[in-house]
Amino acid sequence: MTTTPATPGLQKKSAAGTPQGPTDGPGEDTAPPRPRGRGKNVRWGIVALCFGGLAVNYLDRSTLSVALPAMSKDLDIGPEIQGFVLSAFFITYAICQLPAGAALDKFGVKRVFAIGAIWWSLATVAMGLVRGVGTLIGARMLLGAGEAAGYPAPAKAVSRWFPRRERTLANSVWDNGARVGTAIALPLVTAIVSAFHWRAAFIVCGLLGFVWIVAWLRWYHEPEDHPKLTTEERAYIEGGGARFEPEEAGDAAERTDGGAKLLRWRDLFRYRTVWGMMLGFFCLNYVIYFFITWFPSYLVDERGFDLLSLGFFGTIPGLVAIVGSLTGGWTADRLLRKGWSTTKVRKTCLISGTLCSSVIALTVVVPTAAGALALLSVSYASLTFATASVASLPADVAPTPGHVASLAGIQNFASNVAGALGPIVTGFLLAASGGSYVVPLLVSGALSVVGALTYAFVIQRVEPLPIR
């Protein structure tokens, strides 16, 4: 693959000759004016593909949650086993974030994302064919391994396809595929189970993955290869700080440039910034997983919602969260265009979002269900406001373009450790307090504050990490 030379100024070099990203400060973005007109927005079509991939990803992982009541009768799965079946996914999903990120940097987004989608789609179909708990758990763990590429792949694609000034909004768009896929799962899977059988639900949802795979393989190309990318749009992308590979796709960990040996992905753990990204996302995702797992039970047990009101009012925080995510992306990019430094923009959005999400703790003193639902909606939207910038951090701080997906995988690994631990910790706290949600909600609020402090003080500057 031949790489067209980048626009001058796209990458700066350190004293050692190592390629660095754009410097941090006002005026750093030297992109030409945004191209306008038909056929000059190919990059947003790439985001639409990533959005579709993540929507299918979350649809497939959510199918089990919706179909489990019907499955448990046929397969004789008791309540104590159901929790393990659900959590088995996160074991392989979290662990495989690390090799998935490294593989994306080594072999490219198109190939690895497609392989991951084929893997998780086959695993979803397999869950419709299981005959016992053992094979179900095995299929669920295979699903987690395949879906591990679902987060770092779009982050890598956006880093290559978008200038800095549009990157956050683009990341918020594909990230909302997670919420849309989860929302679609409830009516779609319920309808299939009611009309046919729970096995049909897994088969149908798994086959939908192959529809997306065909679209991805046909329409995704790297910027240097895309047949419909105009010279004007390419100049806009490159000149705005897109993280282009300095050489042809290959093993970034082993390439050399200017005599400096590039970092291996595991060397990224040496940096304080990386640990700050991990801890901050851990705290943020701990609270998000309250909404994904225990939130419906909270409304029923603590606020007295029935099934009908749960189905209607329970969707409100998720819908508000989508608006929060898009607002976070738009706000960050707007501030960048106004000349704010990357550090100031990221810290403003991350700290304000995680700090505002701590209002989840105030629900313990609100007497009405409406007031509690309003606070929970604000909390969830604040979290997604911050996630738009979280998804942009790997591209902002990667020491080279060949480390973006590796950093995204490391960051998401930490967040999914929280995803696995959070529901379990909440369950133990509920059991210890006789079913009261006071302590679990206070813990979530406290972790929101810890996340804000992490982004404020552990991460010092948001800029490409120096090669050590």
Side-chain angles (χ1 to χ4, degrees), residues 62-150:
S62 301
T63 302
L64 178 63
S65 300
V66 182
L68 191 56
M71 294 177 66
S72 61
K73 296 178 182 178
D74 286 356
L75 301 179
D76 192 24
I77 306 175
E80 69 283 357
I81 302 299
Q82 290 181 28
F84 185 76
V85 170
L86 289 169
S87 64
F89 167 89
F90 291 100
I91 297 173
T92 50
Y93 183 68
I95 293 173
C96 290
Q97 291 293 322
L98 303 176
L104 283 158
D105 281 330
K106 181 174 182 178
F107 299 110
V109 175
K110 184 171 186 175
R111 185 188 308 176
V112 177
F113 203 5
I115 292 173
I118 293 170
W119 186 325
W120 87 58
S121 298
L122 289 174
T124 302
V125 172
M127 281 192 284
L129 306 175
V130 298
R131 297 294 177 182
V133 175
T135 51
L136 177 60
I137 291 174
R140 185 75 172 164
M141 295 182 77
L142 287 173
L143 178 72
E147 291 204 350

Side-chain angles (χ1 to χ4, degrees), residues 170-248:
N171 282 325
S172 71
V173 170
W174 66 255
D175 184 57
N176 274 316
R179 282 165 280 282
V180 171
T182 303
I184 291 173
L186 184 58
L188 177 62
V189 176
T190 300
I192 297 174
V193 172
S194 300
F196 302 100
H197 194 269
W198 62 263
R199 295 186 184 276
F202 286 102
I203 293 172
V204 170
C205 291
L207 292 178
L208 284 175
F210 287 97
V211 175
W212 177 82
I213 292 164
V214 171
W216 173 258
L217 291 175
R218 180 175 180 180
W219 290 319
Y220 182 83
H221 303 278
E222 297 297 348
E224 55 267 36
D225 294 329
H226 203 292
K228 295 185 178 180
L229 183 64
T230 64
T231 303
E232 185 179 359
E233 185 178 5
R234 178 182 173 87
Y236 174 70
I237 293 170
E238 291 186 354
R243 302 303 303 267
F244 272 66
E245 302 283 357
E247 301 175 10
E248 291 187 87

